[in-house]
Amino acid sequence: MSISGLREKHKQELENLSLTSQPFKTLKLFIVAIAQYLQRSLIYLLTHGVWLMFLVIAVAAGVVLFLSVDGPHTTHAEELLEYARFGLWWVALGVASSIGLGSGLHTFVLYLGPHIAFFTIKAMQCGRVDIKSAIYDTIQLNRSPSWLKKDCSEFGPSLFSSPHGGIKVPLTSILPQVQVEAILWGLGTALGELPPYFISRAASISGEIIDVAEELDTSSSENNGVASNLNNVKRWFLSHAQYLNFFTILVLASVPNPLFDLAGIMCGQFGIPFWKFFLATLIGKAIIKTHIQTVFIISVCNNQLLDWIENELIWMLSFIPGVASALPNIVAKLHAMKEKYMAAPLPVTSNIKVKSWDLSFASVWNLIVWLMLFNFFIKIVNSTSQGYLKKQQEKELSGLKKKLEEDSH
């Protein structure tokens, strides 16, 4: 078989390898790839990191002993465990959101965004921001925050009021209450961008070239419309990737964009120092981007953005003849509807209806989360299996080249 024929065969095999088309072969390659990775990791630890492994085991045993033995320290140990669980939860959500070259879970939409929105709405209803029992009193795995279902009377009287009546909690008071979890989530997204950088960096050191441009050329010939335009933008970015520096990485990390995975690959390929890449990514994602997203959600949920839009619309409509005289009545009705919506809900006498509604909402939400997790798992299995198959194909191709060279001599 010729080299071009073998490459065409390999291309077809990669395109056909997925859980939907070849489930048994895909799962088999996935298991083999994971087993080989674990074997290599164990061998590396036994040969290079014996002392590190013993240190980790000793620290883990000490922590388990510290948590299991009763004593005066038990309360502090439980508190420390809550803080550790809180930090790991939000960092892990951030990693899951950005890892996988664009195929990660959208955990901001699933968890962080709703958490900020729920807290802001609750603060608006109660007129207070000190409704958390602790910093870690947030949405976590199989646990909702304690303040979510409490009545506002349990927190005390309202501390904020608006000159026009009602409750108005400023953004500067709400932001510090959700800032820690937002920054931890942003830290996780920055950590999730490291695998593409390290893979590309290792390939660059070994003399290999990441074939992103070739894949873009292949996909652009197959796709049309938005996908083709996005590939053109990526191709332009690739042609200018040698100009990457701290400022450009910071800008790319500070705004939501589909090009940052490509930026991480190119930074590794062109030898951008690790600390320059990671520091710019960390500042952009954990500080700038998360605060932009958090401030936007708070502004929408505490009506500051809506009030600004309302004032601008009132100002523009006041110049239209016949509308200016009707504006005060319309605005008053809209404010009454808004206050009725934002008011704390009245106690419901029928507990059956409340439980059925909560069960229905929880069931739908859990179904959405599980579907997202299932889709994420499928993408991981497919990409891992395809990566393993591609390495085997490269070995087969190099073997054929050597054989052809020997035959020619």
Side-chain angles (χ1 to χ4, degrees):
M1 181 182 290
S2 63
I3 294 179
S4 60
L6 185 60
R7 282 178 175 170
E8 185 64 29
K9 177 189 173 185
H10 288 170
K11 181 181 176 182
Q12 292 295 328
E13 289 178 350
L14 280 174
E15 290 177 353
N16 295 330
L17 186 66
S18 66
L19 281 173
T20 54
S21 58
Q22 296 179 340
F24 295 107
K25 182 179 179 181
T26 305
L27 284 173
K28 177 185 174 182
L29 293 178
F30 174 74
I31 293 171
V32 172
I34 295 298
Q36 288 189 0
Y37 174 77
L38 293 176
Q39 182 183 12
R40 286 196 303 267
S41 301
L42 184 61
I43 292 173
Y44 179 83
L45 286 175
L46 291 175
T47 54
H48 297 85
V50 178
W51 290 109
L52 178 62
M53 187 170 62
F54 280 129
L55 179 63
V56 170
I57 293 174
V59 171
V63 170
V64 171
L65 184 65
F66 178 74
L67 294 175
S68 58
V69 176
D70 294 331
H73 64 280
T74 304
T75 305
H76 301 291
E78 291 177 354
E79 188 80 4
L80 186 63
L81 192 62
E82 289 290 342
Y83 278 104
R85 187 183 293 117
F86 161 77
L88 288 174
W89 167 252
W90 287 109
V91 171
L93 286 180
V95 173
S97 181
S98 63
I99 202 168
L101 294 174
S103 62
L105 283 171
H106 302 290
T107 53
F108 183 88
V109 177
L110 289 173
Y111 292 100
L112 183 60
H115 166 67
I116 297 170
F118 289 151
F119 183 88
T120 304
I121 292 172
K122 192 71 174 182
M124 290 288 293
Q125 291 175 348
C126 301
R128 305 177 67 99
V129 294
D130 55 343
I131 58 179
K132 285 184 178 181
S133 61
I135 294 177
Y136 52 77
D137 189 12
T138 62
I139 295 175
Q140 293 189 33
L141 184 64
N142 295 329
R143 190 175 74 181
S144 61
S146 63
W147 45 263
L148 189 59
K149 294 184 179 180
K150 284 185 178 180
D151 189 79
C152 289
S153 60
E154 299 182 39
F155 303 116
S158 173
L159 300 178
F160 297 93
S161 60
S162 174
H164 305 288
I167 299 173
K168 190 174 184 65
V169 184
L171 183 148
T172 53
S173 298
I174 299 176
L175 181 60
Q177 304 299 320
V178 294
Q179 206 167 19
V180 176
E181 46 264 44
I183 292 175
L184 287 173
W185 181 85
L187 170 63
T189 61
L191 293 174
E193 300 294 349
L194 294 182
Y197 171 84
F198 283 127
I199 292 172
S200 178
R201 181 71 172 160
S204 176
I205 292 173
S206 63
E208 299 178 10
I209 299 176
I210 305 297
D211 54 349
V212 179
E214 182 180 346
E215 293 178 3
L216 288 177
D217 291 334
T218 304
S219 60
S220 62
S221 62
E222 299 174 355
N223 298 328
N224 295 315
V226 178
S228 179
N229 293 331
L230 183 60
N231 286 334
N232 291 332
V233 174
K234 288 182 177 181
R235 193 177 294 105
W236 177 89
F237 180 76
L238 278 173
S239 64
H240 294 77
Q242 64 269 25
Y243 301 108
L244 282 171
N245 52 39
F246 183 89
F247 179 74
T248 54
I249 298 170
L250 179 65
V251 171
L252 288 171
S254 301
V255 293
N257 67 86
L259 302 177
F260 195 78
D261 289 325
L262 199 58
I265 293 174
M266 291 300 102
C267 285
Q269 190 70 39
F270 288 102
I272 301 295
F274 167 74
W275 286 111
K276 179 184 287 188
F277 169 77
F278 182 66
L279 189 60
T281 305
L282 182 65
I283 295 173
K285 287 186 171 290
I287 306 298
I288 301 175
K289 180 183 173 183
T290 53
H291 279 81
I292 291 173
Q293 294 171 316
T294 304
V295 167
F296 176 77
I297 292 180
I298 295 175
S299 300
V300 171
C301 293
N302 77 341
N303 298 324
Q304 287 191 0
L305 181 62
L306 299 179
D307 287 344
W308 178 80
I309 295 173
E310 176 189 332
N311 293 332
E312 293 298 318
L313 286 174
I314 291 173
W315 179 76
M316 287 188 294
L317 292 174
S318 62
F319 293 100
I320 301 176
V323 178
S325 59
L327 273 179
N329 189 25
I330 297 173
V331 170
K333 290 182 178 179
L334 289 175
H335 282 176
M337 293 172 60
K338 182 179 71 175
E339 295 298 333
K340 182 178 179 181
Y341 172 75
M342 291 303 300
L346 296 173
V348 182
T349 56
S350 175
N351 293 328
I352 299 175
K353 291 184 179 179
V354 174
K355 289 181 180 179
S356 64
W357 165 250
D358 288 343
L359 178 63
S360 175
F361 178 77
S363 301
V364 172
W365 185 256
N366 288 333
L367 179 62
I368 293 173
V369 173
W370 279 110
L371 287 175
M372 295 281 288
L373 287 170
F374 184 67
N375 181 52
F376 184 50
F377 173 75
I378 289 176
K379 289 181 178 179
I380 288 178
V381 172
N382 287 339
S383 61
T384 305
S385 304
Q386 290 169 0
Y388 178 79
L389 179 62
K390 192 171 184 180
K391 289 181 180 179
Q392 299 301 314
Q393 290 175 347
E394 289 173 356
K395 291 180 181 179
E396 185 182 359
L397 188 62
S398 61
L400 180 61
K401 288 180 179 179
K402 288 181 181 179
K403 184 179 179 182
L404 292 176
E405 288 176 0
E406 290 174 359
D407 293 342
S408 63
H409 290 306

